[in-house]
Amino acid sequence: FPEMVTNPKLVLVQGTLNVVMKQNVTLSCLSEPASPPVRYALFKHNQQVSALNRSDLSPALFTLTISSASDVGEYKCKAEYNNSSGGKYSNSLTFTLLEPISKPVLSSPTSQAKKGQNVTLSCFSENGSLPITYLFFKGTQNISPQKTMQKREAAVIFLFINSLSDFGTYKCKANNSFPNNTKYSNGFNFTLAEERSHSQPLIIALGLILLLFIIGLALAIPFFVIPLYKSSK
């Protein structure tokens, strides 16, 4: 009976599974115990991308360069004897492409606020690998714990406008696993909304009554005052 190889082990020996463009990674594939020579083939999504023959007990080393998004995904290797029709497959390793985040946008449903009001701020980076971590600032001081978003959605915080000191410049920053990729948002300022006094409606009503009185008096002069004046003569 022809000797069969065992299922090889695929191991990452250089680089990381989270990769960036133009990064090199090295995979090791070894079936043990196996009597050489052994042919090792590397597959990506069931398509062979490379093959090596080993005449000793050393592993086959495959070096890949991540040059496009098509280079990431699931990899496996296969070990077989040259004179056999079978072969055994290894475990799989999956590479994920890290993308830099875009500049986050800080926004709020309202730009005006008054003392004693609750407001919200949302921070959102449209592009970049998930998860993305957000942190909110007022000036240079952070005002909330960091929020890590696993989905493509905005991080939201709630604020209570308690005093005039809460009317300042707010910002947020975003980062992900992409190395050296922290981005800051635009600045956002709440403006103080003018508060109407309780006497304003009364003043407006009195003004309207006075205006109507003047209009009524002006209309009454031709019909009542002038004829009365003429009759008195």
Side-chain angles (χ1 to χ4, degrees):
F1 295 98
E3 185 180 0
M4 298 292 293
V5 296
T6 59
N7 290 92
K9 289 184 179 181
L10 186 64
V11 179
L12 181 68
V13 294
Q14 179 188 348
T16 59
L17 292 178
N18 293 324
V19 294
V20 298
M21 286 293 185
K22 304 197 182 297
Q23 179 178 338
N24 292 328
V25 294
T26 301
L27 301 173
S28 167
C29 184
L30 178 63
S31 175
E32 55 181 1
S35 301
V38 178
R39 181 180 185 271
Y40 294 97
L42 184 67
F43 291 82
K44 178 183 176 294
H45 295 311
N46 300 320
Q47 182 177 358
Q48 182 175 311
V49 294
S50 185
L52 291 171
N53 292 316
R54 281 288 175 263
S55 58
D56 53 22
L57 298 178
S58 63
L61 298 178
F62 300 97
T63 299
L64 306 172
T65 300
I66 306 301
S67 57
S68 69
S70 62
D71 293 327
V72 297
E74 183 185 72
Y75 285 82
K76 287 184 177 182
C77 71
K78 180 183 179 182
E80 62 184 354
Y81 290 120
N82 288 329
N83 58 356
S84 69
S85 59
K88 295 291 181 67
Y89 285 91
S90 72
N91 56 296
S92 63
L93 293 177
T94 302
F95 291 97
T96 302
L97 183 64
L98 294 180
E99 296 178 309
I101 53 176
S102 57
K103 180 179 178 178
V105 175
L106 184 64
S107 61
S108 175
T110 179
S111 61
Q112 291 188 330
K114 57 187 178 181
K115 288 189 290 184
Q117 181 179 344
N118 290 308
V119 294
T120 61
L121 281 173
S122 63
C123 185
F124 180 65
S125 186
E126 187 174 358
N127 299 311
S129 305
L130 297 171
I132 298 177
T133 299
Y134 297 95
L135 193 61
F136 292 82
F137 295 86
K138 180 180 177 294
T140 58
Q141 181 180 4
N142 68 61
I143 56 174
S144 72
Q146 67 179 21
K147 294 179 175 289
T148 300
M149 311 305 292
Q150 304 290 340
K151 297 180 180 179
R152 186 76 59 189
E153 57 189 15
V156 178
I157 63 168
F158 300 90
L159 301 174
F160 179 70
I161 303 299
N162 189 44
S163 65
L164 291 177
S165 64
D166 296 322
F167 292 90
T169 300
Y170 292 86
K171 284 189 176 184
C172 67
K173 74 173 182 179
N175 58 55
N176 61 1
S177 299
F178 194 92
N180 303 317
N181 184 234
T182 297
K183 297 286 181 64
Y184 286 85
S185 73
N186 54 297
F188 186 91
N189 291 76
F190 292 104
T191 57
L192 181 61
E194 295 183 2
E195 298 185 15
R196 291 184 176 180
S197 64
H198 296 292
S199 61
Q200 275 187 330
L202 179 61
I203 294 172
I204 292 172
L206 291 175
L208 288 173
I209 293 172
L210 180 60
L211 179 62
L212 291 173
F213 176 76
I214 293 172
I215 293 173
L217 183 61
L219 293 173
I221 289 175
F223 296 100
F224 297 101
V225 177
I226 293 177
L228 183 63
Y229 176 74
K230 287 181 178 180
S231 64
S232 65
K233 286 186 175 183

